[in-house]
Amino acid sequence: MRSPSEIAALKADSFGRISLMQGPEGPFVRRDLAHVPLWLRLPAWWLARREALALRQVAGMADVPQLLDWTGRRLDRSYMEGAAMYQRPPRGDLAYFRRARRLLQQLHRCGIAHNDLAKEANWLVLDDGRPAIIDFQLATRGDPRSRWMRLLARQDLRHLLKHKRMYCAASLTPVEKRVLKRTSWVRDLWFRTGKPVYRFITRRLLKWEDNEGQGPKP
């Protein structure tokens, strides 16, 4: 059987190379850890494994990637034709945000909290205008009825509503505005402790800047 070939490099950083590949059954996305520095291989493997486990849990769900293979070094997932939110902003598109909320609710019912939806790069606008969610490296799996998962689900929702406030502010409901105003101890703890550490590691040690997922700076 013919080996898959790379169509284009989508992203490359200290945690692996992400490429659009062409296989016998069509295009797919591959995260390859082969070139990760030795000192980062364990965290890179842990993040990729976390994504693989989350994708297995949402197998068959629409508008999220489907896991094709996880070897411990390469993670292959299905490809969805579309663009990141910052590349194709859904300005004034209330239907997009309604669908995005239903998609998020479905994800949470499956026992998955994404935990990285503040990044516009993790929201896609598919070719037909539907929303999709990608990049499950930081996803948490658990009982959707537990207090912890409900708290994480609320944080996911707040991030979606922030995007709605950016692109479709006139359609925010009174309830959504109250959700945006109400912060949680998880957010406050992250901003006091986790985020400074994250910035130090990514900007000082790894020498890269993700611009909070908003896309490349001008």
Side-chain angles (χ1 to χ4, degrees):
M1 181 180 294
R2 186 178 178 182
S3 299
S5 58
E6 182 176 296
I7 300 173
L10 302 178
K11 179 181 177 182
D13 58 30
S14 301
F15 294 104
R17 176 184 173 90
I18 303 176
S19 302
L20 178 60
M21 308 291 293
Q22 179 66 48
E25 298 181 5
F28 66 94
V29 176
R30 168 169 290 174
R31 179 186 296 275
D32 196 335
L33 310 184
H35 304 294
V36 172
L38 185 61
W39 67 284
L40 282 175
R41 285 184 183 175
L42 183 59
W45 171 84
W46 182 79
L47 289 169
R49 178 179 178 273
R50 194 179 182 99
E51 180 167 25
L53 291 173
L55 294 183
R56 281 177 185 155
Q57 192 151 323
V58 296
M61 180 176 162
D63 301 328
V64 297
Q66 298 299 297
L67 181 66
L68 303 177
D69 192 28
W70 164 237
T71 67
R73 197 197 77 173
R74 290 195 301 253
L75 185 150
D76 294 345
R77 62 171 174 83
S78 61
Y79 173 68
M80 294 181 289
E81 191 74 40
M85 181 185 281
Y86 69 85
Q87 295 172 321
R88 191 182 297 168
R91 291 189 178 91
D93 190 349
L94 180 57
Y96 176 91
F97 287 101
R98 284 176 173 168
R99 290 171 176 168
R101 183 158 185 171
R102 288 196 295 268
L103 175 60
L104 198 53
Q105 289 170 338
Q106 188 178 358
L107 188 70
H108 293 155
R109 285 196 295 269
C110 288
I112 297 291
H114 189 280
N115 297 325
D116 204 19
L117 292 178
K119 294 181 178 179
E120 292 191 22
N122 292 340
W123 286 99
L124 297 186
V125 182
L126 300 180
D127 281 355
D128 64 359
R130 296 193 333 271
I133 297 174
I134 61 170
D135 195 351
F136 285 74
Q137 288 188 95
L138 300 180
T140 297
R141 298 174 298 127
D143 182 350
R145 297 166 296 183
S146 69
R147 289 186 64 184
W148 177 241
M149 290 297 290
R150 291 202 307 269
L151 182 61
L152 295 180
R154 190 175 187 86
Q155 287 301 106
D156 280 351
L157 175 60
R158 287 190 76 252
H159 291 314
L160 171 61
L161 293 180
K162 286 180 181 180
H163 298 314
K164 184 177 180 180
R165 182 174 60 191
M166 172 68 71
Y167 295 117
C168 204
S171 298
L172 282 171
T173 69
V175 172
E176 290 172 339
K177 291 177 182 178
R178 288 198 295 270
V179 171
L180 282 168
K181 288 180 180 178
R182 192 179 308 136
T183 61
S184 74
W185 63 266
V186 172
R187 174 191 177 277
D188 294 338
L189 182 64
W190 165 251
F191 273 90
R192 288 198 305 267
T193 60
K195 194 159 190 176
V197 174
Y198 169 82
R199 283 179 169 169
F200 175 80
I201 292 173
T202 57
R203 298 180 186 182
R204 298 290 184 87
L205 297 183
L206 302 181
K207 306 298 183 184
W208 58 267
E209 170 69 74
D210 72 355
N211 195 22
E212 299 301 311
Q214 301 299 312
K217 292 179 178 179

